[in-house]
Amino acid sequence: MTSLQTILRGGLVALALLSGPSMAGLFNDADKNWTEGEWTLPAAPNETALREFFVSSVSPNKFMIDESSISVGQDSVVRYVLMVRTPAGGRNVTFEGIRCATAQWRIYATGRDSGEWSPARGSQWQPINDTAYSRTRAALAQDYFCDGPVPPRDRDEVLQRLRNPGSGNTSTTHGGT
């Protein structure tokens, strides 16, 4: 190994060691004293208020948000009712939240056919990863709710983004998943 290769290798190792901690803090919560605000379970989804949104060209499912359920809390969490319909007619209904500051999501409850809610067991904040499992939340966060770590100002801003995709959201992207 030449001395130039040794220097380059040492430089790369130093760069990796120094950049790791700074990258890890990219989506860490700047507010270490943040606490989640109070929330209440919404009414059962209103079929006339369902707004379809794009998640992936690969999925045959339809993804919809109940517009009447959307809120932006004092804690900066965007809460909403999500309905996913399969081509066979099955549906999954959840009441969820997205926290832009930390790129996390949480399920509060699942909907039953009777219109009642069943609280989610062991519900915790989870990272939003653009994988098949959390692609829906990634689409909501990236394309409709968040400007990076910044949440929308209010419910009206979320509604505008859902009704006019690409308007007012600087991070709008439709990934190829």
Side-chain angles (χ1 to χ4, degrees), residues 39 41-45 81 92-96 106-123:
W39 50 269
L41 291 172
V81 171
N92 185 30
V93 177
T94 51
F95 175 54
E96 306 183 356
R106 175 181 175 192
I107 293 179
Y108 296 103
T110 56
R112 296 183 177 168
D113 288 339
S114 64
E116 296 177 350
W117 292 103
S118 177
R121 295 182 190 173
S123 174

Side-chain angles (χ1 to χ4, degrees), residues 19-141:
S19 65
S22 64
M23 289 300 288
L26 185 61
F27 279 106
N28 279 350
D29 192 1
D31 183 2
K32 301 291 183 196
N33 297 319
W34 179 85
T35 56
E36 187 166 10
E38 296 290 322
W39 50 269
T40 57
L41 291 172
N46 178 353
E47 290 288 328
T48 62
L50 291 175
R51 167 79 49 185
E52 190 169 349
F53 64 97
F54 179 82
V55 171
S56 170
S57 58
V58 176
S59 177
N61 297 332
K62 289 187 177 185
F63 301 87
M64 296 164 279
I65 294 270
D66 179 350
E67 289 185 334
S68 62
S69 71
I70 296 170
S71 68
V72 179
Q74 291 294 321
D75 56 4
S76 297
V77 174
V78 182
R79 293 183 181 86
Y80 55 93
V81 171
L82 172 68
M83 181 182 290
V84 180
R85 282 203 178 121
T86 67
R91 68 180 204 152
N92 185 30
V93 177
T94 51
F95 175 54
E96 306 183 356
I98 287 182
R99 189 163 177 237
C100 299
T102 57
Q104 293 178 305
W105 68 283
R106 175 181 175 192
I107 293 179
Y108 296 103
T110 56
R112 296 183 177 168
D113 288 339
S114 64
E116 296 177 350
W117 292 103
S118 177
R121 295 182 190 173
S123 174
Q124 295 180 7
W125 289 100
Q126 303 175 48
I128 296 173
N129 299 311
D130 200 351
T131 62
Y133 175 67
S134 65
R135 175 64 193 136
T136 307
R137 287 75 182 192
L140 287 170

